[in-house]
């Protein structure tokens, strides 16, 4: 399929925002202005943008853990300030400052982040079941990494999704790494998408550095799900520019990933690639691009201000205990 | 004698046991690159067949260790964070605990289960929970947790040499705690408590990071309240005699446990002391535990989890 100019513009705009959000999170972690840890998404922002920019509010989304889901959530139209407040332990946070990095936006059908890699697969089947029963064309965008497909529940979910023809997109963001372990060693075939063959599930592989290529792969999968024709497996081949999480050494196996590898990777920086293309195709002028960047800067400054000006969440223990069960 | 950190003490236990017994091997995720420092450098010495990294597949990873143990090998399974063991709950708690007994006590399973646990990182429940109480609830599994580098090395060695399944997590809050260890080979037997500080007025039973908290409080109260601090070291088997002996002298007991109040180790101890040591008590046993809520992250963790202030308040209450 070919993308319209409006679609390309929307994708590019979100790519710029995603890049800046990720840089902001990286900077705040280094500044000690973030609770817990951060798994930086530099180099890997295009897949999430492409998968989520055209979702409706009532579509389900399980964001990938890399970038802590921010790329996916902001692309779906979620205001990130409540998550940043959460991630800084503030009482305006989306989970009342209780959860560190966990988020929850039920009104946007982004139910949760869990610390367990692979947690998303089985619930996605349940969301798909509900969507199918309602019959309103809702889809489930189930995003996770190559490593997460090691979990047995990935198999279980694909089995049920295909048996029941559920409207789920198994969106695999394959950055070739799982902490220090390479996908080359941990997965027997070059493509994770080959798993889909076993379930007779259609699959497509796309260039995760190219936001437009990913969109061209994922949009038909979304449409197919909306029509009730069942799940699709979409694999976006992407890259991890940084270490797994900030402060952890950057190893492949037990040796440093070399300078050479980093240099090669950086040649495929997604914003640079997309910028070249939007300029060449006349989607945006350089002036407009500068404008998009300024807009994103302003948006993020406001998000940070909101988080920083909120109070630290320190409710008394008794109040917390009263909140363990719904009334 | 040498001074090393707790995490290095575990590493030394691994190195020495891997050298001593060819059937010992480590299995986990990203052990070779060392997500925590206790596995750093092991793959260089022992190779990829004995320092085994798996995909993110906890049930497969643990199940493989289980099968290898049935075949006479001695796996150490590292779940990285304790909560991740629950991904394979049926295998590592139910099937493991029942295997020896239910199959007529024919063959035991020499498996060691370990992981980093505990509060202090502000990462919230799934990355902060303790697991010792849950495993201790399943008969057939030994459960222990070290509080000092000396204990860590000796207990990990004992766990690896034990013919039964042993769950032995370590607390992330004290991984860099330093302490002395001897140069020669030694083990700290499982099931033996240790009086870490002597005192006359009240006994505090505490373990791991909370033991360090209890020792600090005991020091602070010196001259006012004389606090005896006991480290259970093992939860299963539990050395109740050492605690009863202490109560002969102090007649008061505070149990500190970084686990939920309901159904936890502290509840078990409290019940057993009531059954076996009721006449020794001048006051009810008092518990300092995690309140019955998922461990919050953020700034709430530090005042919700057991901490020196809560321990001091409990000591004062039980001595009042
Ligand atoms: C059940 C479970 N096992 C292990 C981990 C530790 N862990 C966190 S992220 C990660 C790697 C994830 O790899 P992948 O799915 O490829 O995503 P990426 O980090 O590469 O973006 C691992 C092993 C975890 N959080 N949960
Ligand atoms: Mg990956």
């Amino acid at each position: 399929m070919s993308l319209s100019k409006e679609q390309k513009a929307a994708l590019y705009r979100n790519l710029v925002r995603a890049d800046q959000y990720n840089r902001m999170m990286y900077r705040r972690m280094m500044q000690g202005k973030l609770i817990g840890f951060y798994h930086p998404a530099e180099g890997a922002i295009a897949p999430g943008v492409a998968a989520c920019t055209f979702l409706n509010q009532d579509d389900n989304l399980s964001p990938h853990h890399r970038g802590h889901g921010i790329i996916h959530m902001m692309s779906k139209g979620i205001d990130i300030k409540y998550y940043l407040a959460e991630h800084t332990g503030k009482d305006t946070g989306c989970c009342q400052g209780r959860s560190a990095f966990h988020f929850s936006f039920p009104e946007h059908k982004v139910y949760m982040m869990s610390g367990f890699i692979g947690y998303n697969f089985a619930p996605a089947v349940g969301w798909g079941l509900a969507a199918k029963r309602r019959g309103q064309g809702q889809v489930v965008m189930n995003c996770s990494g190559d490593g997460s497909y090691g979990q047995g529940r990935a198999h279980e979910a694909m089995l049920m999704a295909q048996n029941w023809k559920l409207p789920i997109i198994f969106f695999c963001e394959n950055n070739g790494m799982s902490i220090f372990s390479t996908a080359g060693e941990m997965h027997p075939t070059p493509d994770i998408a080959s798993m889909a063959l076993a379930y007779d599930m259609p699959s497509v592989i796309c260039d995760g550095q190219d936001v437009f290529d990913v969109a061209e792969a994922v949009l038909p999968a979304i449409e197919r799900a909306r029509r009730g024709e069942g799940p699709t497996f979409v694999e976006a081949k992407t890259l991890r520019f940084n270490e797994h999480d900030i402060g952890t050494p950057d190893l492949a196996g037990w040796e440093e990933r070399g300078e050479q590898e980093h240099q090669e990777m950086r040649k495929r920086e997604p914003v640079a690639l997309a910028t070249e293309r939007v300029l060449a195709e006349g989607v945006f002028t350089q002036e407009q691009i500068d404008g998009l960047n300024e807009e994103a800067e302003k948006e993020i400054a406001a998000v940070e201000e909101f988080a920083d000006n909120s109070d630290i969440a320190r409710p008394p223990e008794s109040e917390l205990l009263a909140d363990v069960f719904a009334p | 004698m040498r001074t090393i950190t707790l995490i290095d003490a575990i590493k030394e236990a691994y190195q020495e046991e891997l050298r001593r017994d060819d059937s010992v091997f480590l299995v986990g995720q990203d052990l070779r690159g060392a997500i925590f420092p206790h596995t750093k450098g092991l793959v260089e010495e022992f190779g990829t067949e004995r320092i085994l990294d798996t995909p993110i597949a906890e049930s497969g990873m643990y199940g493989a260790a289980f099968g290898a143990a049935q075949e006479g090998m001695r796996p150490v399974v590292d779940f990285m964070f304790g909560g991740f063991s629950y991904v394979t709950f049926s295998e590592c708690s139910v099937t493991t605990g029942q295997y020896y007994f239910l199959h007529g006590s024919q063959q035991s399973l020499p498996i060691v289960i370990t992981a980093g646990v505990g509060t202090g990182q502000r990462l919230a429940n799934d990355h902060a929970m303790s697991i010792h109480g849950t495993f201790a609830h399943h008969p057939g599994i030994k459960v222990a947790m070290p509080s000092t580098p000396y204990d860590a090395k000796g207990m990990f060695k004992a766990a690896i040499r034990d013919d039964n399944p042993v769950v032995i997590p370590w607390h992330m809050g004290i991984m860099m705690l330093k302490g002395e260890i001897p140069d020669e080979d030694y083990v700290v037997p499982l099931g033996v408590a240790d009086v870490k500080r002597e005192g006359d007025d009240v006994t505090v039973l505490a373990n791991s990071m909370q033991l360090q908290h209890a020792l600090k409080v005991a020091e602070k109260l010196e001259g006012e309240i004389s606090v005896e601090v006991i480290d259970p070291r093992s939860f299963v088997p539990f050395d109740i005699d050492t605690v009863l002996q202490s109560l002969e002298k102090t007649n008061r007991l505070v149990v500190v446990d970084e686990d939920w109040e309901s159904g936890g180790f502290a509840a078990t101890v409290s019940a057993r002391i009531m059954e076996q040591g009721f006449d020794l008590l001048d006051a009810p046993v008092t518990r300092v535990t995690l309140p019955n809520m998922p461990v919050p992250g953020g700034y709430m963790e530090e005042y919700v989890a057991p901490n020196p202030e809560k321990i001091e308040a409990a000591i004062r209450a039980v001595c009042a």
Side-chain angles (χ1 to χ4, degrees):
Chain A
M1 71 170 287
S2 63
L3 301 167
S4 69
K5 190 174 169 184
E6 288 69 36
Q7 284 174 320
K8 285 181 191 165
L11 287 166
Y12 185 77
R13 180 171 170 272
N14 278 344
L15 195 69
V16 167
R17 293 172 67 223
D19 184 46
Q20 290 205 21
Y21 269 109
N22 175 61
R23 288 176 201 280
M24 176 270 286
M25 292 296 281
Y26 195 103
R27 166 175 51 75
R28 287 183 70 97
M29 190 73 215
M30 300 301 281
Q31 291 171 329
K33 287 207 243 169
L34 220 51
I35 298 248
F37 47 28
Y38 183 62
H39 300 77
E42 197 186 352
I45 59 173
V49 167
C52 303
T53 293
F54 303 112
L55 292 179
N56 301 326
Q57 176 157 349
D58 64 357
D59 289 329
N60 290 89
L61 166 64
S62 181
H64 186 18
H65 90 96
R66 185 148 300 283
H68 290 198
I70 291 174
I71 291 150
H72 303 68
M73 293 192 290
M74 53 133 266
S75 297
K76 193 174 189 274
I78 294 174
D79 191 339
I80 298 302
K81 70 182 180 193
Y82 304 108
Y83 182 48
L84 185 63
E86 185 65 30
H87 219 312
T88 36
K90 299 302 181 71
D91 63 3
T92 52
C94 54
C95 305
Q96 303 191 40
R98 293 175 190 161
S99 84
F101 59 90
H102 304 69
F103 48 67
S104 185
F105 296 97
E107 70 282 14
H108 291 276
K109 288 187 180 276
V110 174
Y111 293 119
M112 62 177 171
M113 158 78 112
S114 150
F116 297 101
I117 292 289
Y119 75 91
N120 48 308
F121 289 108
V125 173
W127 307 332
L129 272 175
K132 189 176 175 184
R133 283 276 294 274
R134 275 192 300 264
Q136 294 166 356
Q138 293 158 322
V139 303
V140 176
M141 184 57 69
N142 177 51
C143 305
S144 55
D146 49 293
S148 74
Y149 282 84
Q151 289 286 4
R153 47 200 66 179
H155 154 73
E156 296 172 35
M158 286 194 276
L159 187 65
M160 286 186 276
Q162 180 67 347
N163 282 347
W164 296 332
K165 297 284 180 286
L166 301 180
I168 303 175
I169 292 92
F170 288 89
F171 190 75
C172 175
E173 306 186 29
N174 182 359
N175 63 1
M177 300 295 295
S178 164
I179 307 189
F180 310 133
S181 302
T182 62
E185 186 186 15
M186 291 297 153
H187 196 84
T189 57
D191 306 321
I192 311 288
S194 59
M195 289 176 79
L197 293 175
Y199 311 94
D200 198 23
M201 189 189 296
S203 66
V204 53
I205 295 171
C206 54
D207 177 1
Q209 302 315 99
D210 178 349
V211 71
F212 306 117
D213 193 56
V214 182
E216 282 173 18
V218 80
L219 284 175
I222 292 175
E223 285 318 309
R224 192 172 170 271
R226 288 208 198 290
R227 290 194 303 268
E229 290 169 24
T232 305
F233 195 108
V234 180
E235 176 175 356
K237 305 274 194 196
T238 187
L239 297 163
R240 194 188 82 199
F241 284 6
N242 304 109
E243 66 270 42
H244 170 72
D245 75 304
I246 295 173
T248 301
D250 189 10
L251 312 177
W254 56 100
E255 274 158 10
E256 286 285 333
R257 288 203 291 170
E259 193 48 41
Q260 172 101 28
E261 183 175 345
H262 279 280
Q263 277 175 11
E264 284 303 311
M265 279 197 293
R266 295 219 171 243
K267 287 183 192 158
R268 309 230 54 235
E269 199 288 309
V271 181
L273 293 179
T275 304
E276 213 173 287
R277 181 130 168 230
V278 290
L279 284 173
E281 294 183 8
V283 179
F284 286 120
T285 62
Q286 186 57 51
E287 212 170 51
Q288 286 172 315
I289 289 174
D290 295 343
L292 290 176
N293 274 289
E294 272 164 39
E295 241 174 69
E297 266 164 44
K298 274 196 207 124
E299 174 186 339
I300 287 165
V303 164
E304 288 197 77
E305 204 177 297
F306 176 81
D308 291 334
N309 291 341
S310 299
D311 291 328
I312 287 179
R314 288 183 197 275
E317 196 176 303
S318 56
E319 242 172 63
L320 290 169
L321 271 171
D323 258 8
V324 174
F325 291 103
Chain B
M1 284 286 194
R2 289 170 298 123
T3 301
I4 64 172
T5 61
L6 184 136
I7 199 78
D8 278 342
I10 299 174
K11 178 172 164 173
E12 286 194 7
Y14 286 164
Q15 286 169 319
E16 290 173 23
E17 294 308 297
L18 282 160
R19 281 177 204 140
R20 190 186 55 78
D21 182 348
D22 195 49
S23 65
V24 176
F25 71 101
L26 266 54
V27 59
Q29 289 159 31
D30 305 283
L31 300 179
R32 300 171 309 180
I35 195 76
F36 291 118
H38 58 330
T39 60
K40 193 167 166 55
L42 295 184
V43 71
E44 281 91 335
E45 179 175 354
F46 301 104
T48 51
E49 284 189 5
R50 297 184 71 200
I51 311 298
L52 207 56
D53 276 346
T54 71
I56 312 175
E58 279 78 10
S59 356
M61 174 178 112
Y62 182 77
F66 185 99
Q70 290 172 313
E71 287 293 322
M73 295 171 78
R74 305 182 82 86
V76 176
V77 188
D78 187 324
F79 280 103
M80 197 179 304
F81 285 85
F84 301 168
S85 65
Y86 293 2
V87 173
T88 177
F89 204 63
S90 72
E91 290 90 348
C92 72
S93 60
V94 186
T95 313
T96 295
Q98 75 189 21
Y99 180 73
Y100 180 72
F101 176 80
L102 222 56
H103 297 94
S105 304
Q106 297 184 63
Q107 188 197 27
S108 64
L109 287 174
I111 306 177
V112 174
I113 294 173
T114 187
V117 293
T119 60
Q121 325 296 313
R122 292 179 169 165
L123 290 171
N125 202 49
D126 47 39
H127 279 68
M129 65 205 302
S130 293
I131 58 170
H132 59 278
T134 304
F135 280 101
H137 190 67
H138 290 264
I141 305 171
K142 294 188 180 181
V143 185
M145 185 148 60
S147 310
T148 65
Y150 176 87
D151 287 345
K153 183 167 178 182
M155 288 165 66
F156 267 80
K157 283 181 158 244
I160 292 170
R161 294 180 196 183
D162 203 293
D163 284 335
N164 296 285
V166 181
V167 173
I168 179 165
W170 53 273
H171 198 296
M172 292 178 282
I174 54 168
M175 67 191 267
M176 290 304 167
L177 178 78
K178 288 189 173 155
E180 285 195 333
I181 56 158
D183 292 323
E184 62 277 4
D185 183 45
Y186 70 99
V187 296
V188 172
L190 303 176
V192 182
D194 187 35
V195 180
K196 291 281 200 273
R197 180 190 168 105
E198 291 190 9
D200 302 316
D201 299 333
V202 54
T203 303
V204 175
L205 188 68
N207 174 255
S208 200
M209 184 170 81
Q210 299 306 335
L211 175 92
Q212 298 303 330
H213 287 168
L215 288 173
K216 259 184 225 140
V217 174
E219 192 152 319
K220 181 182 168 196
L221 294 178
E222 202 172 81
E224 191 184 345
I225 302 171
S226 169
V227 183
E228 177 141 306
V229 182
I230 300 181
D231 179 0
R233 295 200 289 204
S234 297
F235 306 102
V236 180
F238 174 51
D239 175 8
I240 195 169
D241 292 342
T242 297
V243 180
L244 289 169
Q245 247 168 41
S246 171
L247 288 177
E248 303 253 359
K249 178 172 62 171
T250 64
N251 311 109
R252 290 176 163 82
L253 178 63
V254 173
V255 187
V256 188
D257 187 27
E258 200 182 297
D259 191 8
W260 289 296
E261 179 201 80
S262 279
F265 172 71
T268 303
V269 173
S270 176
R272 288 188 62 187
I273 295 297
M274 192 191 68
E275 288 159 358
Q276 289 175 251
F278 187 71
D279 294 338
L280 298 173
L281 294 174
D282 284 349
V285 176
T286 300
R287 288 179 287 161
V288 181
T289 58
L290 280 169
N292 292 321
M293 65 175 88
V295 187
Y299 292 95
M300 294 163 210
E301 187 187 58
E302 59 212 32
Y303 62 84
V304 164
N307 57 39
E309 294 74 48
K310 286 189 171 185
I311 295 170
E312 183 179 335
I315 291 172
R316 290 189 182 282
V318 85
C319 291

